[in-house]
Amino acid sequence: DKILVDEVDDVWNLICAAAERKGGKACVHFLNDNSALELASDLLLAHYLLSTNRVSKVVFNLKPYPFFVSDATPPDVSTTLSAMAASPDAHTSRLASDLKHHLETGALTLTHDGPLNLFLASPEPMWCMPAAARAPLREEADLAVAKGDLMYRKLLGDRTFEATEAFDDIVSYFPTPLLSLRTCKSPVAVGI
């Protein structure tokens, strides 16, 4: 009841269609934002996607350095997985084991030093993304998951639009189908 826009069915249908087109080989790219609990939820969503047999690869596009103090970087993934592995809860430690296996096999990949990662750590709006940063999304991703309030604001250029304006119309410049997941921390909001 706290979700403002729920398009889970559309997203799932998109993933299933991509998997069918590609023989079960859909690829999802995350544009990660924050570490800690948000990164843990990113890892859980990645685990779920990889367990569906519809998605064969998940890519975490992490920051090369914290643009803000809480931004997720590769060491944060390692720290989070270690904390999960040390949990007394058997389900949590099993998730950590599964995720480490996905990292070892390449089903879960971490990037942090390419043109896209450098762009994500910049103050530029997403529509200013250079071609080299767009390339991995355009060439590989069947879906991009933009995580966090900062990524949402970058998608909208941190500009104020009418709340009823369609999100898809504003982000039509984006190189691949897009899902934005965020906790509303700023007044910037559309598609409501």
Side-chain angles (χ1 to χ4, degrees):
D1 67 344
K2 304 228 187 240
I3 296 176
L4 296 178
V5 179
D6 183 354
E7 297 180 335
V8 70
D9 291 336
D10 294 335
V11 170
W12 185 245
N13 290 337
L14 185 142
I15 288 171
C16 289
E20 189 173 313
R21 241 184 6 261
K22 298 168 88 175
K25 305 288 185 198
C27 177
V28 176
H29 273 246
F30 280 62
L31 308 178
N32 301 88
D33 190 11
N34 294 315
S35 58
L37 185 57
E38 188 172 316
L39 180 59
S41 67
D42 295 349
L43 287 163
L44 294 176
L45 180 54
H47 183 274
Y48 171 77
L49 291 170
L50 290 167
S51 72
T52 66
N53 295 320
R54 303 268 197 243
V55 174
S56 62
K57 185 173 184 182
V58 172
V59 178
F60 276 16
N61 294 286
L62 302 159
K63 308 280 179 41
Y65 48 83
F67 183 66
F68 290 109
V69 70
S70 61
D71 285 343
T73 62
D76 297 314
V77 174
S78 181
T79 300
T80 303
L81 289 175
S82 293
M84 290 171 66
S87 171
D89 179 76
H91 296 293
T92 303
S93 58
R94 177 66 190 171
L95 283 169
S97 176
D98 290 351
L99 287 162
K100 287 178 182 179
H101 175 74
H102 290 316
L103 282 167
E104 290 165 3
T105 64
L108 176 59
T109 303
L110 310 179
T111 69
H112 70 283
D113 60 358
L116 177 57
N117 310 94
L118 293 170
F119 178 78
L120 294 176
S122 80
E124 295 295 328
M126 290 287 192
W127 57 72
C128 292
M129 187 185 301
R134 289 175 179 266
L137 297 171
R138 186 180 56 252
E139 295 166 7
E140 185 179 52
D142 297 298
L143 174 68
V145 179
K147 288 297 309 309
D149 193 61
L150 174 66
M151 291 300 159
Y152 185 84
R153 291 185 355 248
K154 282 178 74 79
L155 287 165
L156 301 181
D158 223 354
R159 296 182 180 178
T160 303
F161 293 90
E162 291 294 322
T164 56
E165 193 157 349
F167 178 77
D168 289 345
D169 291 346
I170 296 168
V171 299
S172 61
Y173 63 85
F174 205 78
T176 195
L178 176 67
L179 168 67
S180 180
L181 299 174
R182 79 186 270 235
T183 298
C184 195
K185 298 177 188 174
S186 69
V188 177
V190 297
I192 300 173

